[in-house]
Amino acid sequence: MKARIVSTGSYVPEKILTNHDLEKMVETSDEWITERTGIKERRVAAPEQATSDLAFEASIKALKKANLTAKDIDLIIVATVSPDMLVPSAACILQMKLGASNAVAFDINGACTGFIYALSVAEKFIKTGASKRALVIGAEMLSRFTDWTDRSTCVLLADGAGAVIVEPTKKDEGIQIIDIFSDGTMWDFIHMPAGGSQMPVTEDVIKQRLNFIKMRGNETFKVAVKTLEEVVDVTLKKGGITSSELSLLVPHQANIRIIQAMAKRLALPMEKVMVNINKYGNTSAASIPIALDEANEQGKIKRGDYVMLAAFGAGLTWGAALIKW
């Protein structure tokens, strides 16, 4: 028994924040942001929206494409670092909004690798028979945790959600290999100091702006390129194929230079790499399912194609999934 993705869906907020808009907020320029990140614009959620609202919209689209209702789902996993609140999970709130009364629901925090982590868990539920139909979502509202005075992070982060529906199959298709890894010794490369049990939010914390995401960009870049190349290579070998047999690589949309360096090391032409960072920025756990849905909608994937998902994020976490579509 294997697990296969039968439907995709995505949603991004209506508000577009361009590089030119950011020029009015911090000392930066469209040229500087584009050259170093590949981002031209990103989406920012409306004040009344929460992460579960973005997840809801993406989920509804995935359900409609599969001709299913929420009651057909028995497992909901939301990958996020920006839930509506610490308790309860965004997944339980989403379950309520969808009316998915037959599902068990929980969150996973794997940061930018979160969607691959969640997909890995769903695959195990499906393969063991514990779940018959899973809804897996990557959803983020990073704008609420972004320091809009810090140009090293505010030009990168954004909001959005993507969803997939996973079902069992006995055919030679679906998820072939998933590899997930972590290394907590580099936890401080990307982190948010305050807001947890170690440093609750106080007036002094807010003054020091410690309740926002911090990033050591240069160190993260170097580790990301090397680690992503290695994890994709390992996953390909386990799947028994070469990079030339891939129809599409769908990487986490963190930085165009990371994506290009990874493609070069894997000898993959950019035509075989899904890129939409220019439109949406870094949406953490949401970036891969959003990109996967766009690739699906644009006809870049057809039945029998080999598709590779790969991500790297805070934790540090990283992982890859080889899928036969």
Side-chain angles (χ1 to χ4, degrees):
M1 188 72 70
K2 289 184 178 178
R4 70 185 183 109
I5 293 173
V6 298
S7 180
T8 63
S10 63
Y11 172 80
V12 291
E14 292 182 9
K15 182 180 177 181
I16 297 173
L17 187 70
T18 68
N19 290 347
H20 294 298
D21 293 327
L22 285 170
E23 288 176 346
K24 303 169 186 175
M25 300 165 60
V26 292
E27 187 179 343
T28 190
S29 68
D30 172 59
E31 182 182 10
W32 187 90
I33 298 170
T34 303
E35 180 184 338
R36 285 165 176 77
T37 71
I39 302 169
K40 297 295 289 186
E41 57 188 41
R42 70 284 295 145
R43 301 298 180 100
V44 176
E48 67 275 12
Q49 288 181 308
T51 297
S52 64
D53 294 317
L54 310 190
F56 174 84
E57 297 295 340
S59 299
I60 288 295
K61 290 180 179 179
L63 286 167
K64 284 183 177 178
K65 288 179 187 177
N67 294 314
L68 297 171
T69 70
K71 286 185 170 57
D72 294 318
I73 301 297
D74 60 17
L75 174 66
I76 298 173
I77 308 176
V78 175
T80 187
V81 297
S82 53
D84 298 27
M85 54 192 80
L86 286 178
V87 179
S89 67
C92 281
I93 297 173
L94 173 63
Q95 179 199 30
M96 177 269 295
K97 290 179 177 179
L98 287 172
S101 55
N102 297 318
V104 62
F106 56 89
D107 288 358
I108 282 183
N109 180 343
C112 299
T113 319
F115 178 76
I116 294 178
Y117 269 51
L119 191 63
S120 177
V121 173
E123 182 213 24
K124 305 305 183 291
F125 269 77
I126 294 288
K127 289 177 73 173
T128 60
S131 171
K132 297 299 182 186
R133 189 173 287 123
L135 176 61
V136 182
I137 306 106
E140 301 286 12
M141 199 170 285
L142 300 181
S143 63
R144 304 283 163 85
F145 304 94
T146 298
D147 183 349
W148 294 102
T149 67
D150 177 10
R151 74 170 187 172
S152 67
T153 56
C154 74
V155 302
L156 303 172
L157 308 177
D159 305 336
V164 300
I165 294 174
V166 185
E167 294 181 356
T169 180
K170 291 183 179 180
K171 297 179 181 179
D172 180 26
E173 60 183 359
I175 299 168
Q176 307 293 299
I177 302 289
I178 293 188
D179 280 320
I180 53 175
F181 304 91
S182 59
D183 184 351
T185 63
M186 293 179 277
W187 66 268
D188 61 337
F189 278 30
I190 309 168
H191 71 296
M192 190 169 74
S197 60
Q198 179 175 289
M199 189 184 296
V201 176
T202 63
E203 185 177 348
D204 187 53
V205 162
I206 293 172
K207 285 181 181 178
Q208 295 182 62
R209 310 190 76 78
L210 297 175
N211 55 318
F212 296 117
I213 296 169
K214 310 293 182 183
M215 189 181 301
R216 290 165 56 183
N218 289 335
E219 293 97 325
T220 302
F221 179 92
K222 293 173 184 177
V223 177
V225 172
K226 181 175 182 292
T227 304
L228 283 169
E229 178 202 2
E230 289 175 352
V231 74
V232 170
D233 188 52
V234 166
T235 305
L236 285 170
K237 286 178 180 176
K238 286 184 179 180
I241 69 169
T242 65
S243 60
S244 63
E245 294 175 81
L246 286 177
S247 294
L248 192 67
L249 171 67
V250 184
H252 167 50
Q253 307 291 305
N255 184 304
I256 190 61
R257 293 186 299 161
I258 293 176
I259 295 171
Q260 289 170 338
M262 184 169 125
K264 184 177 180 180
R265 292 192 183 196
L266 293 168
L268 270 179
M270 287 304 292
E271 294 75 28
K272 284 190 171 186
V273 183
M274 183 63 193
V275 178
N276 62 6
I277 189 173
N278 55 308
K279 297 188 294 182
Y280 304 128
N282 182 347
T283 55
S284 187
S287 78
I288 284 180
I290 290 173
L292 186 63
D293 182 50
E294 284 206 346
N296 194 21
E297 287 286 298
Q298 294 169 11
K300 292 186 176 182
I301 316 170
K302 62 181 184 297
R303 190 142 194 174
D305 282 353
Y306 281 109
V307 179
M308 179 70 75
L309 315 180
F312 175 93
L316 294 176
T317 62
W318 62 96
L322 177 63
I323 301 169
K324 189 174 183 181
W325 203 251

